[in-house]
Amino acid sequence: MPNASTAKGRATQARIVEGAAQVLRERGIAFTTLDDVRARTSTSKSQLFHYFPGGKDELLLAVAEFEASRVLEDQQPHLDRLDSWESWYRWRDAVVERYELQNDQCPLGNLFLHIGRSEPGTRAIVVELMRQWQERIANGIRTLRSRELIPASVDVDRSAAALLAGIQGGVSIMMSTGSSAHLRAALDTGIDQLRTATTHER
């Protein structure tokens, strides 16, 4: 997606992407046209193609990036405040609630299926999302370690990776079954393993 050169241009570009995301959530990718996006965002055809010269596919990629950012935003402020066990369980509840509200409709997943997960653009979005998500979980584990709530021997990056993998696995099962039981179990087990690390150290 080309970067707009002015603040007004960036605001317009963001408005188009957000409006497109709303339409796609309501109607689905297959039933959404550029005319629908133009109507929702009060954008002319020339304006739309100015910001997205590649047409619908380029716009969908921008919406995928927007939806990826929402994955992290929906976990705030808890994700960036993992400084006590209570805060970890608040984060856990926020993650479960987000995906329960979403149920088996995953806007980001649907976009990736349409665009193609192997496309360089979509792969980069996934890689960056997972990198940021894991790093924020890791920061929370480092905070626990600095407060001596867990021992210094805990492998921060490995623990964060395991938690993230558990979330992704739980969400995948939820998409297929409609049940959040596996997602809850993955989060509870991951947090419990952190809490019991202190016991095992002694």
Side-chain angles (χ1 to χ4, degrees), residues 1 17 57-72 107-109 111-112 115-133:
M1 182 177 71
V17 171
D57 285 346
E58 186 173 354
L59 177 58
L60 289 178
L61 192 62
V63 173
E65 190 171 359
F66 171 78
E67 291 288 2
S69 70
R70 288 186 60 170
V71 172
L72 300 180
L108 186 58
L111 283 161
F112 287 159
I115 301 170
R117 290 180 182 274
S118 62
E119 291 295 318
T122 55
R123 185 175 291 274
I125 291 170
V126 174
V127 168
E128 181 60 17
L129 169 60
M130 295 303 157
R131 185 196 68 77
Q132 289 191 37
W133 199 347

Side-chain angles (χ1 to χ4, degrees), residues 75 78-79 81-97 144 163 184-196:
Q75 299 175 52
H78 313 292
L79 182 58
R81 295 180 184 174
L82 298 173
D83 54 7
S84 67
W85 295 120
E86 292 77 12
S87 66
W88 276 82
Y89 286 113
R90 285 193 292 270
W91 168 66
R92 175 259 193 206
D93 291 343
V95 173
V96 171
E97 181 181 19
L144 293 179
L163 262 167
R184 291 172 178 271
L187 281 161
D188 288 342
T189 300
I191 296 172
D192 287 348
Q193 286 178 341
L194 286 174
R195 296 197 71 165
T196 57

Side-chain angles (χ1 to χ4, degrees), residues 12-38:
T12 300
Q13 193 173 41
R15 177 171 55 80
I16 294 170
V17 171
E18 189 168 354
Q22 291 171 355
V23 176
L24 288 166
R25 280 173 172 257
E26 292 169 7
R27 302 187 184 184
I29 296 173
F31 300 101
T32 298
T33 67
L34 289 180
D35 286 338
D36 295 328
V37 175
R38 287 179 50 231

Side-chain angles (χ1 to χ4, degrees), residues 134-135 138 141-142 145 154-163:
Q134 181 173 327
E135 182 58 27
I141 298 174
R142 290 188 187 96
R145 202 167 62 174
V154 169
D155 188 324
V156 172
D157 293 326
R158 185 180 176 85
S159 298
L163 262 167

